[in-house]
Amino acid sequence: MNDARAVPERARNAWYVDDRCTNCDVARQLAPELIAEAGGRSEIVRQPRDAAEERLLHAAAFACPTRSIRHPSRRLDPALDPFPMRLGDTDVLLCGHNSQHTAGANSYLLRRPGGTQMMVDTPRWSEPLAARYEALGPVTDILLTHRDHVAHGRRYADRFGARLWIHEGDLDAVPDADRVLRGTESVEIADGVYAHPLPGHTRGSVLYVADERYCFSGDSFYWSRTTGDIEVADSVTWFSIEELAASLARTAVGLRFEWLLPGHGDRTHLPAADMAGRIRRLAERTRELRPRPVDFTAVRW
């Protein structure tokens, strides 16, 4: 019998990744020294050497959408669940507990003046998780970056009494949204928070930029550990790579931020001037790309 939870022979007393892994990259983002890609999936490449590295593996395990990071003789310790986890010295927390229904996308809590919060995309749904996020402050808005990440939006919005946002280009994916962004003009949706429509990955993709510091890019672009730069994933640009190039060219001129916080792919923090230059160069590179068959099975973030 092929049991996805079966313990590999080589890992009888060690952390391992089971057969349910979908190669989503979430665990590798959190513990890159311990988890790497091998054969089209994640694999533990080194066991933790101390308590700090043990905590990294717990973080990866709690974030993993398929719960594939396991230890044969230990249960995950809830006391070591770090989520929501503050990202550096920022007003942003990583929600963790990524959902299979959003292909393992990352989601974030953005702290606002006065103690309120905005949630950008959503983690997996559970009432205990909702209570944990709300304990940090009222959640006033759920900002959906595009149609691929709508799965739990309505449920979290109703639980928090929050407004659910989507762009009209992806409105069919969440027709009961409370706020609908329209057109391609940037708009301030809250004090210091701007929505920048960026059709390309999907017709209704949106960037949310807060305080000229944080850019929540959805799946429009991301930080690549492979190239050490900001990249677009043209193999999974569902709508139009030409539209994405035009969107970047239109938006890049005025875009200013320090933290790149995507749904899929790695995060990074760089000086705003460096980010601005990279975005301009990304717009130029994307203009040179041509349509290609969409790969519905895999993508390397």
Side-chain angles (χ1 to χ4, degrees):
M1 180 183 296
N2 181 20
D3 183 354
R5 300 173 186 242
V7 182
E9 184 65 34
R10 65 183 180 279
R12 291 299 180 190
N13 194 33
W15 288 92
Y16 68 98
V17 179
D18 74 21
D19 293 348
R20 295 170 298 175
C21 174
T22 59
N23 201 31
C24 71
D25 194 55
V26 170
R28 302 193 293 268
Q29 295 164 19
L30 291 163
E33 300 300 317
L34 306 178
I35 306 173
E37 185 180 10
R41 53 174 286 171
S42 288
E43 187 168 294
I44 306 293
V45 294
R46 179 169 64 74
Q47 295 297 311
R49 294 170 177 162
D50 53 31
E53 291 190 343
E54 190 83 15
R55 287 193 295 271
L56 287 178
L57 276 184
H58 270 79
F62 278 111
C64 175
T66 56
R67 296 298 188 264
S68 291
I69 299 170
R70 305 168 65 81
H71 194 286
S73 62
R74 302 179 207 166
R75 296 178 64 86
L76 285 180
D77 182 354
L80 294 179
D81 179 353
F83 300 110
M85 181 173 67
R86 190 177 183 189
L87 296 177
D89 182 23
T90 74
D91 296 316
V92 176
L93 296 98
L94 183 66
C95 291
H97 298 275
N98 299 39
S99 171
Q100 292 187 67
H101 297 288
T102 61
N106 290 306
S107 56
Y108 305 90
L109 287 168
L110 171 65
R111 307 295 300 275
R112 305 310 296 149
T116 63
Q117 304 178 98
M118 292 176 157
M119 180 177 276
V120 184
D121 293 329
T122 60
R124 68 179 178 87
W125 164 257
S126 85
E127 173 57 34
L129 283 178
R132 183 183 303 181
Y133 303 135
E134 192 175 44
L136 299 174
V139 180
T140 61
D141 297 88
I142 308 291
L143 309 180
L144 298 176
T145 58
H146 64 295
R147 67 186 311 115
D148 303 352
H149 296 177
V150 307
H152 310 287
R154 183 75 266 163
R155 201 161 189 183
Y156 271 108
D158 289 345
R159 168 62 175 76
F160 295 141
R163 296 171 291 246
L164 183 64
W165 294 75
I166 194 75
H167 189 275
E168 62 179 343
D170 286 351
L171 183 58
D172 62 311
V174 55
D176 57 351
D178 304 297
R179 298 289 188 273
V180 180
L181 299 160
R182 302 190 184 278
T184 58
E185 294 298 315
S186 300
V187 59
E188 188 174 22
I189 62 172
D191 188 22
V193 181
Y194 287 81
H196 300 275
L198 205 81
H201 174 69
T202 66
R203 186 186 296 271
S205 289
V206 178
L207 304 180
Y208 296 99
V209 177
D211 308 325
E212 295 192 333
R213 192 177 183 199
Y214 312 113
C215 176
F216 303 94
S217 62
D219 292 348
S220 293
F221 51 81
Y222 67 100
W223 182 260
S224 169
R225 293 191 301 275
T226 302
T227 67
D229 207 348
I230 303 174
E231 304 291 353
V232 300
D234 56 324
S235 65
V236 289
T237 297
W238 314 123
F239 179 48
S240 167
I241 194 67
E242 295 99 333
E243 286 293 331
L244 180 55
S247 298
L248 286 168
R250 179 180 63 250
T251 307
V253 176
L255 208 56
R256 183 176 178 83
F257 62 91
E258 301 172 13
W259 283 84
L260 174 53
L261 304 164
H264 292 286
D266 224 346
R267 301 169 286 279
T268 198
H269 177 215
L270 294 170
D274 189 354
M275 283 289 195
R278 290 175 185 272
I279 288 291
R280 287 193 297 270
R281 292 190 292 275
L282 177 67
E284 294 168 1
R285 295 199 308 274
T286 305
R287 192 170 56 228
E288 301 302 316
L289 297 176
R290 294 294 175 262
R292 53 184 283 192
V294 172
D295 182 354
F296 288 96
T297 63
V299 61
R300 293 179 184 272
W301 298 104

